[in-house]
């Protein structure tokens, strides 16, 4: 499961610099994972060249697009409410067109267009370049749909506009799709099979960001560690590649090193990792380069071997724990975060206790925790009965959350008295006299502004903490500036 963008950003309307020659207005909202937000930047770039400027005022839009998520039922319910709102506005502005992008588009195409008639166009994650043609269809009074999944599309030739940008941090997509058929996840069906983006296009995008003053990038993929470029095509077809293609292939540890060496004054993060693809070679690259952040998001989903098998996860509890040991040995200062699902079908109290004991073993810095909700189209949705009572799910989830909170306190307190490097990202929400940023371990750090500015790398001595935030005093600029 992809890391969800923080709640406060969900549904934010995205605005970029206007082009004076553009005459139409686009209102675009994103929900769900980082990949969706990254995709919205690609869409805005395509439409900016097609005559659209963005607006944050729904009522004045000619085109309204919502980039959707199918991972959780809550996300789908939220998007349905937004579609109701769009259509209420559309009744007073009949020229407005409404479109659904992303994962829900693929899954609910006929429902949205034919049965409920609540949208004008439906565009899947691999069809964004077709938007100008689809909009022409809509202008002529026809519904438009393209949800065809591609074996090749990576949008490597599109320079994304930075919609939500603070000018400091940016997302750089390096893979699309996923080959892991986890039974709870709809991604392989909505985003297709896994393929990687050409390395030079990734380097060119990062160079452009560096030229514009960005200080940190996150290499992004549904399963980022399994990146493999061998000239194009699906990862699963690599077995049929020529000897030359195999000899010149670039995998994730090579790409990571290429970026770290190419941009030594830029911080590098990556998300999301899958345990079976987190090879030791990647850990050695993380340890070797100070500009690669020491944070690994390593979803586990459950601590029970029986449930992991039911989920079709390709790791056991023991293999996961051995990987944690390896991370601690090679990158001792790394923070580790998790995804966890409570109440998966057939989960017993013993399975739940196995999850709790795994959490005790790892003591994660932070995590993303959910109770299971059946997703139509997934293998679990088709073949497994959602048989854990909602009350039991809620209790188990709360126990997981409470334990994570305890561990987050423990991990935060480890930083007190230490000096950490912080990239200043913004003014603190709680005080205009303080800056907020993250350290290498992706923990939020707050400190008095003094004479520093947004975009500076500042060494901060930590004096106190909460479970999720470190507080301290600046002691000077770091060598990364």
């Amino acid at each position: 499961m992809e890391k969800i963008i923080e709640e406060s950003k969900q549904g934010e309307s995205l605005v970029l610099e206007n082009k004076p020659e553009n005459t139409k207005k686009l209102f675009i909202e994103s929900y769900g994972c980082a990949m969706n937000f990254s995709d919205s930047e690609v869409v805005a770039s395509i439409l900016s060249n097609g005559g659209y400027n963005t607006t944050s005022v729904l009522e004045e839009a000619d085109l309204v697009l919502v980039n959707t998520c199918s991972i959780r039922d809550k996300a789908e319910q939220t998007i349905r409410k937004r579609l109701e709102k769009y259509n209420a506005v559309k009744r007073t502005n009949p020229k407005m067109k409404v479109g659904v992008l992303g994962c829900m588009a693929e899954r609910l195409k006929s429902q949205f267009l034919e049965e409920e008639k609540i949208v004008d166009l439906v565009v899947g994650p691999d069809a964004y370049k077709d938007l100008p043609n689809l909009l022409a269809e809509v202008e002529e009074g026809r519904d438009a749909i393209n949800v065809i999944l591609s074996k090749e599309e990576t949008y490597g030739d599109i320079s994304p506009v930075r919609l939500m940008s603070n000018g400091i941090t940016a997302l750089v997509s390096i893979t699309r799709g996923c080959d892991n058929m986890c039974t709870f996840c709809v991604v392989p069906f909505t985003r297709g099979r896994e393929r990687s983006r050409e390395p030079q296009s990734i380097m060119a995008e990062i160079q452009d960001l560096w030229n514009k003053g960005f200080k940190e990038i996150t290499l992004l993929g549904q399963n980022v560690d399994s990146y493999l470029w061998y000239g194009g095509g699906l990862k699963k077809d690599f077995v049929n590649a020529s000897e030359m293609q195999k000899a010149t292939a670039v995998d994730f540890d090579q790409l990571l090193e290429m970026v770290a060496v190419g941009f030594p004054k830029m911080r590098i993060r990556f998300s999301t990792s899958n345990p079976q693809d987190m090879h030791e070679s990647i850990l050695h690259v993380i340890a070797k380069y100070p500009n690669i952040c020491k944070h690994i998001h390593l979803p586990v989903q459950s601590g029970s071997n029986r449930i992991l098998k039911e989920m079709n996860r390709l790791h056991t509890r023991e293999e996961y724990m051995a990987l944690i040991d390896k991370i601690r040995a090679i990158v001792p200062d790394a923070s580790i975060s998790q995804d966890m699902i409570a109440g998966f079908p057939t989960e017993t109290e013993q399975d739940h206790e196995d999850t709790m004991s795994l959490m005790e073993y790892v003591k994660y810095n932070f995590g993303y925790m959910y109770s299971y909700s059946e997703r139509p189209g997934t293998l679990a949705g088709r073949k497994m009965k959602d048989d854990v009572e909602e009350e039991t799910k809620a209790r188990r989830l709360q126990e997981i959350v409470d334990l994570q909170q305890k561990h987050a306190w423990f991990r935060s307190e480890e930083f007190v008295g230490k000096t950490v490097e912080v990239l200043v990202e913004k003014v603190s929400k709680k005080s205009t006299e303080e800056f907020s940023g993250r350290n290498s371990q992706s923990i939020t750090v707050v400190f008095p502004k003094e004479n520093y500015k947004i975009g500076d790398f500042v060494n901060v001595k930590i004096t106190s903490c909460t479970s999720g935030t470190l507080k301290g005093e600046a002691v000077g600029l770091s060598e990364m500036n």
Side-chain angles (χ1 to χ4, degrees), residues 137-187:
E137 290 281 307
V138 169
E139 289 299 327
E140 290 178 20
R142 295 187 288 274
D143 290 338
I145 180 169
N146 185 343
V147 292
I148 295 167
L149 293 173
S150 166
K151 293 182 179 182
E152 301 288 341
E153 186 60 80
T154 63
Y155 299 110
D157 58 332
I158 302 283
S159 179
V161 293
R162 304 295 162 180
L163 290 166
M164 295 175 53
S165 175
N166 53 9
I168 306 298
T169 64
L171 304 170
V172 176
S173 178
I174 68 165
T175 72
R176 296 185 74 81
C178 185
D179 286 346
N180 297 318
M181 295 292 176
C182 301
T183 57
F184 55 80
C185 187
V186 76
V187 164

Side-chain angles (χ1 to χ4, degrees), residues 6-207:
E6 63 186 83
E7 206 64 42
S8 64
K9 304 256 196 241
Q10 295 290 324
E12 221 173 70
S13 63
L14 310 175
V15 181
L16 63 149
E17 207 171 312
N18 285 343
K19 288 183 178 176
E21 66 273 22
N22 286 356
T23 56
K24 292 176 279 192
K25 292 190 175 177
L26 163 70
F27 179 94
I28 183 167
E29 287 184 341
S30 303
Y31 292 85
C33 68
M35 187 63 81
N36 273 9
F37 284 73
S38 177
D39 278 2
S40 289
E41 295 179 341
V42 168
V43 168
S45 180
I46 292 165
L47 290 177
S48 174
N49 295 328
Y52 285 87
N53 285 329
T54 50
T55 176
S56 59
V57 181
L58 174 63
E59 288 73 13
E60 68 180 30
D62 299 290
L63 174 63
V64 176
L65 297 176
V66 58
N67 201 339
T68 61
C69 173
S70 275
I71 289 287
R72 288 188 292 164
D73 186 52
K74 183 186 171 191
E76 287 202 3
Q77 297 310 320
T78 303
I79 289 156
R80 283 198 167 278
K81 287 198 180 79
R82 291 305 289 157
L83 287 169
E84 286 171 21
K85 168 71 174 169
Y86 302 157
N87 279 281
V89 173
K90 194 176 177 183
R91 283 193 284 276
T92 64
N93 178 12
K95 289 183 180 175
M96 177 198 276
K97 305 301 178 193
V98 175
V100 170
L101 312 175
C103 294
M104 262 177 97
E106 211 291 324
R107 199 171 77 68
L108 297 174
K109 48 192 180 286
S110 57
Q111 209 167 319
F112 281 154
L113 270 176
E114 294 151 25
E115 294 165 32
E116 299 178 27
K117 302 191 186 305
I118 52 175
V119 298
D120 303 291
L121 72 159
V122 174
V123 189
D126 290 348
Y128 298 142
K129 283 183 188 166
D130 198 27
L131 266 164
N133 300 327
L134 296 171
L135 287 167
E137 290 281 307
V138 169
E139 289 299 327
E140 290 178 20
R142 295 187 288 274
D143 290 338
I145 180 169
N146 185 343
V147 292
I148 295 167
L149 293 173
S150 166
K151 293 182 179 182
E152 301 288 341
E153 186 60 80
T154 63
Y155 299 110
D157 58 332
I158 302 283
S159 179
V161 293
R162 304 295 162 180
L163 290 166
M164 295 175 53
S165 175
N166 53 9
I168 306 298
T169 64
L171 304 170
V172 176
S173 178
I174 68 165
T175 72
R176 296 185 74 81
C178 185
D179 286 346
N180 297 318
M181 295 292 176
C182 301
T183 57
F184 55 80
C185 187
V186 76
V187 164
F189 307 105
T190 59
R191 286 187 171 271
R193 300 303 294 262
E194 188 175 315
R195 63 270 187 207
S196 296
R197 184 177 159 191
E198 198 267 322
Q200 291 311 318
S201 78
I202 296 168
M203 294 295 282
E205 183 176 335
I206 299 169
Q207 182 66 59

Side-chain angles (χ1 to χ4, degrees), residues 230-401:
Y230 62 97
L234 299 178
K235 183 174 180 183
K236 73 180 180 67
D237 295 335
F238 180 63
V239 288
N240 303 320
S242 69
E243 290 308 310
M244 177 61 81
Q245 284 177 314
K246 287 178 179 175
T248 56
V250 177
D251 61 15
F252 185 61
D253 58 344
Q254 292 169 304
L255 178 72
L256 193 56
E257 186 157 34
M258 199 187 297
V259 177
V261 171
F263 303 94
K265 296 291 186 183
M266 201 171 213
R267 250 196 198 174
I268 302 147
R269 299 187 186 278
F270 58 91
S271 186
T272 290
S273 297
N274 204 302
Q276 83 263 14
D277 294 306
M278 176 53 76
H279 304 301
E280 188 173 320
S281 55
I282 297 170
L283 299 176
H284 287 294
V285 174
I286 297 168
K288 183 175 177 182
Y289 295 97
N291 57 329
I292 302 178
C293 288
K294 308 300 184 266
H295 165 230
I296 297 172
H297 183 59
L298 199 63
V300 64
Q301 311 301 359
S302 173
S304 157
N305 276 336
R306 193 183 69 78
I307 293 295
L308 288 170
K309 195 170 180 182
E310 291 289 325
M311 290 176 165
N312 197 33
R313 297 291 282 172
L314 301 178
H315 61 87
T316 64
R317 169 192 177 89
E318 291 74 24
E319 286 166 342
Y320 186 90
M321 289 161 82
L323 177 56
I324 295 293
D325 293 343
K326 201 173 275 187
I327 293 169
R328 300 273 188 236
I330 298 169
V331 196
D333 55 344
S335 63
I336 303 172
S337 53
Q338 46 86 347
D339 286 350
M340 206 72 77
I341 297 172
F344 190 79
T346 77
E347 185 185 72
T348 64
E349 282 303 315
Q350 183 55 57
D351 295 324
H352 173 59
E353 286 305 318
D354 287 349
T355 293
M356 300 287 277
S357 69
L358 179 83
M359 289 178 70
E360 284 287 7
Y361 185 83
V362 181
K363 293 185 173 62
Y364 294 98
N365 293 74
F366 54 94
Y368 303 89
M369 297 148 284
Y370 315 96
S371 63
Y372 174 76
S373 62
E374 190 176 280
R375 311 311 298 127
T378 62
L379 292 167
R382 292 203 301 270
K383 297 184 176 177
M384 299 178 190
K385 187 182 175 200
D386 186 2
D387 60 355
V388 180
E389 297 284 342
E390 289 303 318
E391 201 176 297
T392 304
K393 281 184 196 174
R395 173 183 57 78
R396 289 177 186 168
L397 177 62
Q398 193 57 54
E399 287 174 7
I400 288 169
V401 168

Side-chain angles (χ1 to χ4, degrees), residues 220-237:
L220 198 62
Q222 235 74 43
N223 186 9
V224 77
D225 307 329
S226 70
Y227 174 91
L228 180 66
W229 171 261
Y230 62 97
L234 299 178
K235 183 174 180 183
K236 73 180 180 67
D237 295 335

